[in-house]
Amino acid sequence: MPASADRYLEVQRSEEFAQLRHKLRSFIFPTTIAFIVWYALYVLLSAYARDFMSIKLIGNINIALVFGILQFVSTFGIAWFYARYAAKELDPRADAVYNELENTPEAAATTPEGSAS
């Protein structure tokens, strides 16, 4: 049986949970802002710097095409980097918070393993 609402609030107020939120936000906010700026740059250049974006680099490959492909590359790069960051920084902290929540005397008494038969 899950822990009580009071226990959830207690864990939410804990230092470990605050550190987990801080680590998550310190990755998510800067990365999101950087990606939005990068995307907006691509859109603005495509709309207002057509001469620049139409410069051919190799054959029919121009700067606009390279920027468009880099949008996909950066998206996959961010996803890959986040997966590594989460595995190293977030998952261990989340597991610790989860174990703290589940390994309480109240939670143990309400589980089949902790109940007296």
Side-chain angles (χ1 to χ4, degrees):
M1 194 136 189
S4 69
D6 291 335
R7 182 67 183 133
Y8 281 109
L9 291 173
E10 183 181 327
V11 169
Q12 183 183 12
R13 293 180 190 118
S14 71
E15 181 63 28
E16 294 83 11
F17 190 76
Q19 288 175 355
L20 175 62
R21 276 193 328 235
H22 174 73
K23 284 288 189 182
L24 177 66
R25 290 175 179 170
S26 68
F27 180 90
I28 295 295
F29 291 139
T31 306
T32 301
I33 291 168
F35 184 78
I36 289 172
V37 168
W38 161 236
Y39 179 73
L41 175 68
Y42 172 64
V43 171
L44 291 172
L45 287 174
S46 295
Y48 298 109
R50 290 180 175 252
D51 292 338
F52 170 71
M53 295 295 271
S54 65
I55 295 173
K56 294 192 182 218
L57 300 174
I58 301 170
N60 287 330
I61 299 174
N62 60 16
I63 291 177
L65 180 62
V66 171
F67 271 40
I69 291 170
L70 287 175
Q71 289 292 315
F72 288 100
V73 171
S74 63
T75 300
F76 287 111
I78 290 169
W80 174 77
F81 186 60
Y82 175 77
R84 290 189 58 208
Y85 180 81
K88 181 180 176 189
E89 297 290 335
L90 301 178
D91 293 347
R93 293 173 194 272
D95 290 341
V97 169
Y98 176 78
N99 289 333
E100 177 186 335
L101 180 65
E102 292 299 315
N103 293 330
T104 62
E106 177 185 295
T110 59
T111 60
E113 299 85 22
S115 61
S117 296

